[in-house]
Amino acid sequence: MQNAREAGREHGGAMNGHSVDWNDWRAFLAVARNGSTLSAGRELRVSQTTVARRVAALEQALGLALFERRSAGYALTGAGTALVPAAEAVEQATGSAEEQARAQARDLSGTVRLTTQDLYAQQLVSPLLGALRERFPAIRIELETSSRLLDLGGGEADIGLREIRAETRQPAGVVGRVVCPDEWTLYCSQAYAGRHGVPSRITELREHTILGGGCDDVEAMYDAWLARVGLLDRVGMRFGSSTAMLSAIRSSLGIAVLPCIVGDSDPELIRCVPPLDYGSKLWLVTHERVRRSPAVRAVIDFLYERLLAHVRSLEARDAA
């Protein structure tokens, strides 16, 4: 009998340039076992149409007819029968790998202390903690908000999400990854724009209420910029934290500065002017003393993956 490899060669195999999705193979095996796309769909918890489409895609990718379509259901062809053992071996290996991954996730345990400023904690980190808990249920997260970079080397925290300027000298042993440029600019709410319009140039800002404040390092840079462009006297209200300032913007009290990674994510906010050049980047950092800890490694990899996906979604939206 012609084996699967020979059958693939004779019919062109995957040489037609189509890639093969493992979900197509799963659909193939389900139909082979059940004899119909309807029953296969119930097994896989997808629609009958999806199963039929995946089987057709696999046949096209391989250049093989895997089933005979009959009124009573689907019957394997010779080529399809030859492929079943190999597909079942891949299914078994995939299931084993997934189980090992789940076991490793269950084995990861311990406390990981994470620090960031209040605005990033509220808008970026907290929304991710539910999914983090689901993936690593034995890891306990302690989230501390602080306007200063805690001493990672001294054990005050294990991971920090921080804006860091290029000229800032980092303590020995601190290592990390850049999430994105730490761009900030001025935002107002949709409701505010409806009443007062949206300023598009710095000179137009004198006709609007400016909100001041933020955490210590943000307020210092923000005030310096406002003074440099002649707007410091237009500050009508001040707030002691960046989260309070965000709330004030959403309440249509005026215009204020926010990081673009936060402001651009909020459909209720409008960017007023191009980003201000603070010359900093948003980093996810840890310390050499804990970087090889399995729990710390798992958390930092998870956060980096999710934050980077968030940044890329914003970039894709802007490019559209």
Side-chain angles (χ1 to χ4, degrees), residues 182-185 187 258-265 271 275-276 314:
D182 186 44
E183 296 179 329
W184 292 59
T185 193
Y187 291 86
L258 291 173
C260 296
I261 192 174
V262 172
D264 290 351
S265 306
R271 184 191 285 198
L276 314 180
L314 293 179

Side-chain angles (χ1 to χ4, degrees), residues 104-180:
Q104 289 178 13
R106 289 193 297 268
D107 290 342
L108 287 172
S109 61
T111 298
V112 176
R113 290 163 296 175
L114 174 63
T115 178
T116 190
Q117 64 155 279
D118 59 350
L119 185 63
Y120 291 143
Q122 181 187 92
Q123 299 298 310
L124 299 180
V125 178
S126 291
L128 301 178
L129 294 184
L132 177 62
R133 179 72 175 175
E134 287 182 7
R135 184 178 295 186
F136 306 111
I139 295 179
R140 176 185 176 187
I141 298 295
E142 292 183 357
L143 178 58
E144 180 175 347
T145 59
S146 173
S147 60
R148 67 182 181 90
L149 180 60
L150 299 186
D151 185 0
L152 301 180
E156 288 187 318
D158 300 311
I159 299 172
L161 179 64
R162 290 295 179 191
E163 66 278 9
I164 300 175
R165 304 184 73 174
E167 67 272 17
T168 303
R169 185 178 181 84
Q170 294 304 302
V174 172
V175 294
R177 304 177 189 175
V178 175
V179 175
C180 63

Side-chain angles (χ1 to χ4, degrees), residues 3-267:
N3 64 33
R5 181 177 295 179
E6 290 168 347
R9 272 203 301 267
E10 181 175 319
H11 292 81
M15 296 300 289
N16 57 14
H18 295 282
S19 61
V20 179
D21 188 326
W22 167 239
N23 287 314
D24 296 346
W25 285 108
R26 291 181 66 230
F28 162 72
L29 285 175
V31 175
R33 291 164 181 159
N34 291 277
S36 75
T37 53
L38 179 61
S39 297
R42 289 172 180 159
E43 177 185 318
L44 299 176
R45 297 183 180 180
V46 298
S47 70
Q48 180 181 16
T49 303
T50 297
V51 173
R53 176 173 53 79
R54 288 199 172 280
V55 169
L58 181 60
E59 289 180 321
Q60 181 180 5
L62 298 178
L64 295 170
L66 303 177
F67 294 97
E68 293 179 9
R69 277 70 168 173
R70 300 174 179 174
S71 58
Y74 278 51
L76 285 164
T77 63
T81 300
L83 283 170
V84 168
E88 287 178 335
V90 175
E91 179 184 48
Q92 183 176 1
T94 302
S96 176
E98 290 175 351
E99 179 53 38
Q100 288 181 35
R102 285 192 290 268
Q104 289 178 13
R106 289 193 297 268
D107 290 342
L108 287 172
S109 61
T111 298
V112 176
R113 290 163 296 175
L114 174 63
T115 178
T116 190
Q117 64 155 279
D118 59 350
L119 185 63
Y120 291 143
Q122 181 187 92
Q123 299 298 310
L124 299 180
V125 178
S126 291
L128 301 178
L129 294 184
L132 177 62
R133 179 72 175 175
E134 287 182 7
R135 184 178 295 186
F136 306 111
I139 295 179
R140 176 185 176 187
I141 298 295
E142 292 183 357
L143 178 58
E144 180 175 347
T145 59
S146 173
S147 60
R148 67 182 181 90
L149 180 60
L150 299 186
D151 185 0
L152 301 180
E156 288 187 318
D158 300 311
I159 299 172
L161 179 64
R162 290 295 179 191
E163 66 278 9
I164 300 175
R165 304 184 73 174
E167 67 272 17
T168 303
R169 185 178 181 84
Q170 294 304 302
V174 172
V175 294
R177 304 177 189 175
V178 175
V179 175
C180 63
D182 186 44
E183 296 179 329
W184 292 59
T185 193
L186 301 179
Y187 291 86
C188 67
S189 69
Q190 296 274 4
Y192 179 94
R195 292 198 298 269
H196 306 287
V198 181
S200 58
R201 295 191 295 271
I202 300 297
T203 54
E204 296 175 0
L205 288 168
R206 289 203 61 81
E207 306 303 318
H208 295 265
T209 299
I210 305 298
L211 308 178
C215 60
D216 295 340
D217 51 350
V218 170
E219 184 173 28
M221 289 189 293
Y222 184 28
D223 277 358
W225 180 83
L226 290 172
R228 190 164 65 249
V229 298
L231 291 172
L232 196 56
D233 64 325
R234 296 301 301 163
V235 175
M237 303 179 196
R238 282 192 176 272
F239 300 88
S241 70
S242 295
T243 51
M245 200 153 61
L246 171 60
S247 179
I249 299 171
R250 287 173 171 166
S251 298
S252 304
L253 298 181
I255 296 172
V257 72
L258 291 173
C260 296
I261 192 174
V262 172
D264 290 351
S265 306
D266 193 326

